[in-house]
Amino acid sequence: MTKAKKVKSSVKTARNEGLEIARKIWLAGVGAYGRVYQEAAGRVEKVTGAANELFDQLVEKGEQVEDLVRSSISRNETAGKVSEYVEKTTAQVKAASETRMNDLEERFESVRKTVLEKVSPFMDKVAPLNIFAIGSQIEALTAKIEALSAEVEALKGAKAAPAKAAKKTEDEAS
């Protein structure tokens, strides 16, 4: 083997060995990541399971305390009266609030109607782009357009009739 071939062979071997080492380094990094991920996932599962278990225990304890409080209140005559009073007062406040809201809505509607009745006739004179009068103006313009269209059609019909009659008499004369 010539010296050039030996050098070329050793370069090729070194390159292959370098690639293999780089590949192994990469695989070691991926393996480390996988191991850390698995361990972290396991820990998260343990913590999540423990947290869910703790939460369930706390809910159960809360239900027990709630039952104790309810039974204590039901045995206590004064607490029962207070509870009834609170419920009664809450219902009264709710009814009063609904009544007041309905009254307020009726008043707003009454004021809105009054304003429209009182202001609307003057808005045509005050503002050319009166929002209140636009609807009635559109209706009036539509009626005028329809009347003018009917007149135009009538005039077209009137012009066409004498022209036909004149043409008919010319044909008869020949």
Side-chain angles (χ1 to χ4, degrees), residues 53-168:
E53 186 177 320
L54 178 63
F55 179 76
D56 291 340
Q57 290 172 358
L58 291 173
V59 168
E60 185 178 320
K61 187 67 175 177
E63 289 172 345
Q64 291 171 359
V65 170
E66 181 183 39
D67 290 342
L68 285 172
V69 169
R70 284 183 190 219
S71 67
S72 174
I73 288 175
S74 66
R75 284 181 283 172
N76 187 337
E77 188 177 315
T78 306
K81 288 180 182 178
V82 169
S83 178
E84 287 177 21
Y85 179 75
V86 167
E87 289 175 12
K88 180 180 170 185
T89 305
T90 302
Q92 288 174 345
V93 168
K94 187 176 180 181
S97 129
E98 288 175 0
T99 303
R100 287 186 179 161
M101 267 314 263
N102 290 335
D103 290 346
L104 187 60
E105 287 175 5
E106 288 175 7
R107 286 181 188 166
F108 277 138
E109 186 59 34
S110 174
V111 168
R112 188 177 299 120
K113 187 176 178 181
T114 303
V115 166
L116 285 174
E117 288 173 355
K118 300 290 182 183
V119 173
S120 213
F122 301 109
M123 290 305 289
D124 290 338
K125 298 172 187 162
V126 176
L129 295 176
N130 176 5
I131 294 172
F132 299 112
I134 287 177
S136 60
Q137 290 173 347
I138 289 174
E139 289 174 8
L141 288 172
T142 303
K144 285 182 183 179
I145 290 172
E146 288 173 356
L148 288 173
S149 296
E151 284 182 37
V152 168
E153 291 299 319
L155 288 173
K156 282 183 182 177
K159 281 186 178 180
K164 285 183 182 178
K167 188 174 183 181
K168 195 175 189 183

Side-chain angles (χ1 to χ4, degrees), residues 6-67:
K6 284 183 183 180
V7 170
K8 190 175 182 183
S9 174
S10 64
V11 167
K12 191 174 185 181
T13 304
R15 188 188 82 180
N16 288 341
E17 287 175 1
L19 288 174
E20 185 63 25
I21 290 172
R23 182 176 172 272
K24 286 181 180 179
I25 291 171
W26 166 255
L27 290 175
V30 170
Y33 173 77
R35 183 173 179 178
V36 168
Y37 179 80
Q38 286 178 340
E39 288 178 10
R43 289 182 185 147
V44 167
E45 286 177 17
K46 286 179 185 176
V47 169
T48 302
N52 287 340
E53 186 177 320
L54 178 63
F55 179 76
D56 291 340
Q57 290 172 358
L58 291 173
V59 168
E60 185 178 320
K61 187 67 175 177
E63 289 172 345
Q64 291 171 359
V65 170
E66 181 183 39
D67 290 342

